[in-house]
Amino acid sequence: MLLCGMHTIDHETLRFDLILYHPYINTNDIFLFQVMPISLNPGIRTLILKYNAFHTVDASFNFYSELELVDLSHNGIVSVPPKGFKSQRNLVDLRLNDNKIGELGTDTFYGLRKLESLELRRNFISSLPENCFTHLQSLEVLDLGKNRISDISPDAFVGLSELRVLKLDDNNLNRIPDGLQHLTGLAELHLSRNKIRIVPDAALMLPSLSLLDLSSNKIEKVHEKSFQELGNLRTMKVQDNSLYEVPNTALAPLNSLEILLIGQNMFGRLQKNSFAELPQLKKLDISGCPALTHIENEAFASNSDLREVVISSNRQLQVIEPQAFTGIPDLERVDLSNNQLDHIPPSLLQWQRLNHFQVSGNPLHCDCANFFLKDVIYTIVNSSETVRVVRCWTPLHLRDQDLALLQLQCDVTSSSRIQDSDLLTVIIVASIVSVFIVVSLLLIFVRLRKSKYTQRVPVKDKDILQYEEAEPRYVSPYLVKPNVVSNPYHETMVRNDHYFTTLARLDPAFNPHKAGLGRPVDQMFVNTSSSDSSFEPVFREQIYSDPNLPAHHAVGTLIRINPKSHYEDPISIL
């Protein structure tokens, strides 16, 4: 295994870079540098000495005062002597990752006034004493992750007014470090994979912070005023902790929060408006919660700006109520994979607006109620988005079959095609309007029908029957002198002479015996004009009786002739 070396010259800027490193660790290789080389060009600006066998930073560095980037990672460096970098006044980037540095002193970084990035990742540092970074006035990025830090002095960060990123992840911290208030310009704070249990009040007085990572700790409680000074926070990671409920009150001041990762916690139910205090939230991840079983209606109703929701790998989650995502018009990406869902409510989402959807890994029951998912899958795939295969779990004869390839006999209603979440409202409104229209039409019809039967039709004077108290008389042209016969039944009816004359002309062939009504009991003949030479008898109204009965038992029918027809109209039973 040979040493790899490269010496480059930038002719425009007269910049000299030297890269001397071994690509694989091999302590038996005789070509590994044991000490810092001193015969290099003093004008070099980049020096990378990775994967060698240095144990310390010696005085050889004093020969290279023009260095801007130094990478001593993956060496065996145990310590950095005080003022070991005092000559590197132009150094901007120093990388000391993957060494064995155990402690830092007040003068460890003496002289590095222009240093902007310091990486000490994967070392053996256990504590940060006071003023250990006080000489790094221009430092913007400090990476202390994957060490053994358990104690941080309240004055450890004094002088780091320009610091933007602080990484203390994967250490042994059991509480939020003191002294963070000195980092007035801090934008990112990484405290994941520690042993923090409580986030106390006023522990994070960082008004410029935009990212806070508290994931993979043991946090059980977040005090109500813990995040009171984080008004500019955009991203919060609190997944993989021991929270038994969503800390709504503590989250209230985070009006600018856009990304919240809160999965792998212990809450078992998301109630209505669980994230009510986060109006600007755009991405929400609630994955891997071992106790989560139920998501109620309107759980995210106050988060109208949501664009992406990930609710996956919750192995106890069996129910997401149909209106859980009500009030989220711009939701584009939804992941419901690897839960315990056997049915997905058709009205859960506005499916036609999604450009990403995952539901694989659930024990789905493939029936007509879930068959609409076939349309959803095809729609998403057609928009050039990858969708993992969705397989049936029940019924048994369909187990492991691809839902997108099933052919079920389902009508439009039962298959629940892609529809808007407000379809139910549209149906209700349409039903009410339809009922109103039908009722209105029925009322109009009834009124018209009633008016038809009650409407008075005007008739000519000569056709009017006039009823008086006097006994009825029948007019006939045969008699000059009226012969009035008493009506034993006291019927009273008087008719106009012109009326009977008109009837006679219209129905001259009337025969009172053609209906088999028997003989007439009473009849009247009146001659209205002695000079009339036309003597044709016309029966206008007669009383008939049964000829088989005695005269004093006679019961007959009064017959009225309709002048416009040729039938007899019985009008009363005498």
Side-chain angles (χ1 to χ4, degrees):
M1 193 73 67
L2 296 177
L3 177 68
C4 296
M6 182 173 63
H7 184 207
T8 65
I9 301 177
D10 189 334
H11 296 284
E12 296 182 359
T13 61
L14 298 178
R15 172 173 176 165
F16 297 88
D17 299 340
L18 181 65
I19 303 174
L20 296 170
Y21 68 93
H22 199 284
Y24 303 102
I25 296 177
N26 187 349
T27 57
N28 297 322
D29 199 314
I30 61 173
F31 295 102
L32 294 178
F33 280 110
Q34 303 292 323
V35 294
M36 189 75 61
I38 60 174
S39 59
L40 304 176
N41 191 318
I44 62 174
R45 299 185 181 184
T46 299
L47 178 61
I48 299 177
L49 294 170
K50 297 172 64 175
Y51 297 103
N52 283 282
F54 303 123
H55 295 291
T56 187
V57 177
D58 55 32
S60 301
F61 258 93
N62 294 328
F63 291 99
Y64 310 112
S65 59
E66 300 298 324
L67 287 172
E68 296 179 359
L69 186 154
V70 173
D71 190 347
L72 300 177
S73 301
H74 295 280
N75 284 283
I77 299 175
V78 176
S79 64
V80 178
K83 301 183 180 181
F85 298 102
K86 64 179 181 180
S87 299
Q88 277 69 52
R89 299 186 182 277
N90 294 319
L91 194 63
V92 175
D93 191 346
L94 177 60
R95 303 171 187 175
L96 296 169
N97 300 319
D98 296 283
N99 285 290
K100 299 179 181 179
I101 301 172
E103 62 180 17
L104 302 175
T106 304
D107 293 328
T108 300
F109 303 107
Y110 178 85
L112 299 177
R113 295 183 177 181
K114 292 185 178 181
L115 193 68
E116 296 179 359
S117 176
L118 174 60
E119 298 180 10
L120 288 162
R121 199 169 189 82
R122 287 180 294 273
N123 279 280
F124 296 159
I125 302 171
S126 59
S127 64
L128 298 178
E130 61 182 6
N131 299 318
C132 60
F133 303 110
T134 190
H135 299 290
L136 304 177
Q137 300 172 2
S138 301
L139 193 66
E140 296 181 1
V141 178
L142 175 58
D143 190 347
L144 295 166
K146 289 185 178 293
N147 278 278
R148 302 175 181 180
I149 302 172
S150 59
D151 182 36
I152 298 177
S153 169
D155 295 326
F157 303 118
V158 171
L160 297 179
S161 58
E162 299 297 322
L163 193 68
R164 297 291 180 267
V165 179
L166 175 59
K167 296 182 179 180
L168 289 167
D169 55 290
D170 209 346
N171 280 283
N172 293 324
L173 298 172
N174 55 20
R175 60 190 177 89
I176 303 292
D178 295 328
L180 294 178
Q181 67 273 11
H182 299 295
L183 308 176
T184 55
L186 193 65
E188 295 184 17
L189 176 59
H190 299 265
L191 293 170
S192 62
R193 292 185 295 278
N194 280 281
K195 301 176 181 178
I196 302 171
R197 292 184 177 274
I198 297 175
V199 182
D201 288 339
L204 298 165
M205 307 290 288
L206 302 168
S208 300
L209 199 67
S210 63
L211 186 151
L212 174 61
D213 189 352
L214 293 171
S215 62
S216 300
N217 281 279
K218 299 180 180 180
I219 299 174
E220 299 175 348
K221 182 176 179 59
V222 179
H223 285 274
E224 294 183 357
K225 298 181 180 180
S226 299
F227 308 134
Q228 190 171 10
E229 299 297 324
L230 303 181
N232 292 315
L233 195 69
R234 297 290 188 274
T235 302
M236 174 177 282
K237 302 178 182 180
V238 289
Q239 73 269 28
D240 192 19
N241 280 287
S242 300
L243 295 172
Y244 284 88
E245 60 181 8
V246 178
N248 255 339
T249 305
L251 296 175
L254 306 180
N255 295 323
S256 301
L257 192 67
E258 297 179 356
I259 300 175
L260 175 61
L261 310 182
I262 198 172
Q264 294 174 267
N265 277 285
M266 300 304 296
F267 37 79
R269 194 179 186 96
L270 292 182
Q271 300 177 347
K272 180 179 180 180
N273 293 322
S274 291
F275 304 93
E277 304 298 334
L278 305 173
Q280 302 298 323
L281 195 63
K282 289 180 172 55
K283 179 179 179 179
L284 177 63
D285 191 324
I286 315 173
S287 299
C289 298
L292 183 61
T293 61
H294 198 109
I295 298 179
E296 296 183 2
N297 284 331
E298 301 182 7
F300 315 106
S302 300
N303 312 114
S304 58
D305 280 352
L306 270 175
R307 299 293 189 275
E308 180 178 356
V309 175
V310 180
I311 307 176
S312 65
S313 301
N314 302 289
R315 302 310 299 176
Q316 300 299 320
L317 179 59
Q318 298 180 354
V319 178
I320 300 179
E321 295 187 5
Q323 305 302 318
F325 293 94
T326 295
I328 311 178
D330 299 320
L331 193 60
E332 298 175 350
R333 302 175 64 86
V334 176
D335 187 347
L336 300 178
S337 61
N338 300 308
N339 293 299
Q340 199 65 23
L341 302 170
D342 57 0
H343 278 90
I344 306 296
S347 60
L348 182 65
L349 297 163
Q350 298 185 35
W351 305 101
Q352 78 282 0
R353 298 188 180 180
L354 297 182
N355 55 40
H356 176 86
F357 178 68
Q358 301 290 346
V359 74
S360 62
N362 284 283
L364 291 175
H365 183 71
C366 290
D367 58 2
C368 289
N370 274 333
F371 197 57
F372 77 97
L373 292 174
K374 179 177 180 178
D375 290 342
V376 176
I377 294 170
Y378 279 120
T379 301
I380 301 298
V381 171
N382 290 337
S383 64
S384 301
E385 180 71 27
T386 302
V387 179
R388 294 190 293 272
V389 175
V390 180
R391 300 190 182 277
C392 304
W393 183 251
T394 56
L396 289 177
H397 69 278
L398 295 178
R399 179 165 293 183
D400 292 330
Q401 292 195 29
D402 188 346
L403 175 63
L405 301 179
L406 285 183
Q407 298 296 330
L408 298 181
Q409 298 298 324
C410 298
D411 56 25
V412 175
T413 301
S414 59
S415 63
S416 301
R417 301 296 184 189
I418 296 177
Q419 54 187 318
D420 291 336
S421 60
D422 58 349
L423 180 58
L424 182 60
T425 304
V426 174
I427 292 175
I428 293 174
V429 172
S431 300
I432 294 174
V433 172
S434 300
V435 170
F436 177 77
I437 293 175
V438 171
V439 171
S440 300
L441 290 175
L442 287 175
L443 290 175
I444 293 172
F445 176 76
V446 170
R447 277 176 95 81
L448 290 176
R449 187 177 180 86
K450 184 177 179 181
S451 62
K452 176 181 178 181
Y453 287 99
T454 58
Q455 185 177 7
R456 297 180 179 270
V457 180
V459 296
K460 299 179 180 179
D461 293 341
K462 64 179 182 178
D463 295 332
I464 298 178
L465 294 180
Q466 299 178 348
Y467 293 88
E468 299 177 351
E469 289 297 327
E471 293 185 3
R473 60 194 183 105
Y474 301 94
V475 178
S476 173
Y478 280 106
L479 299 178
V480 176
K481 184 178 181 180
N483 181 17
V484 180
V485 182
S486 300
N487 187 344
Y489 304 101
H490 302 289
E491 294 269 350
T492 61
M493 183 169 60
V494 178
R495 295 199 173 176
N496 191 288
D497 294 343
H498 298 288
Y499 174 78
F500 290 108
T501 303
T502 303
L503 291 182
R505 291 174 182 161
L506 292 176
D507 191 11
F510 173 71
N511 187 353
H513 299 286
K514 65 180 179 179
L517 299 176
R519 56 181 174 79
V521 175
D522 294 306
Q523 64 183 13
M524 180 183 298
F525 303 92
V526 180
N527 187 357
T528 57
S529 176
S530 58
S531 62
D532 191 354
S533 60
S534 176
F535 295 97
E536 184 178 358
V538 177
F539 291 84
R540 293 294 166 230
E541 195 161 2
Q542 297 179 331
I543 299 175
Y544 293 91
S545 65
D546 192 342
N548 298 321
L549 294 177
H552 61 279
H553 290 103
V555 178
T557 302
L558 180 63
I559 303 300
R560 177 180 299 156
I561 303 304
N562 187 340
K564 294 186 179 181
S565 63
H566 297 282
Y567 63 89
E568 298 171 344
D569 181 19
I571 60 172
S572 63
I573 303 298
L574 301 178

